[in-house]
Amino acid sequence: MAWDSTRTVNWARLIREWIVYAVVMAGVFLIFLRDNVSAGSVAGLAASFPMYLIFGAVLAKMGYQRKTLSDLRRETPARAPRSSRRSFHNQVEVVPLQRAEQRLVLHSFAQTSAKKDNDAQLSLHHGD
């Protein structure tokens, strides 16, 4: 990005953003630093205004333009409704669960049958 003096600077946006910052910081001063707020704190907040404008103007002249929330919303792909995603998710998970239950039942049956066969053989050898 190179400096281009023909690029416009959105001054209204920069001023609006700094006002939001100043209001938030004034709230922080009032809530958290009520007893420790000095003239230096307020002067520092006021001094940040021209610094923010200069920094923002330099970035704008170099081609930097932050995206607005509406720009970001337009770029975000549309999401499917939750109900359809959830039903698809449940269908995918149910099949393996049913197969696992079937395997478990077959395995338990095989173990029970083997134990019965083993007990029957032991009883034949011991004469029970």
Side-chain angles (χ1 to χ4, degrees), residues 14-32:
L14 289 174
I15 292 170
R16 186 175 47 246
E17 289 173 349
W18 182 83
I19 289 172
V20 169
Y21 163 75
V23 168
V24 169
M25 287 309 296
V28 168
F29 286 167
L30 289 174
I31 294 170
F32 297 109

Side-chain angles (χ1 to χ4, degrees), residues 20-88:
V20 169
Y21 163 75
V23 168
V24 169
M25 287 309 296
V28 168
F29 286 167
L30 289 174
I31 294 170
F32 297 109
L33 305 171
R34 178 173 290 174
D35 299 333
N36 297 330
V37 176
S38 64
S41 300
V42 176
L45 184 60
S48 71
F49 179 64
M51 289 188 291
Y52 185 81
L53 291 180
I54 291 169
F55 188 68
V58 168
L59 287 175
K61 291 292 182 178
M62 293 185 74
Y64 178 73
Q65 179 68 35
R66 280 188 297 113
K67 295 180 181 180
T68 63
L69 287 176
S70 60
D71 292 338
L72 292 173
R73 285 187 192 121
R74 270 186 257 128
E75 291 177 4
T76 304
R79 293 182 179 175
R82 283 193 171 271
S83 60
S84 65
R85 284 192 301 161
R86 187 171 291 145
S87 64
F88 176 74

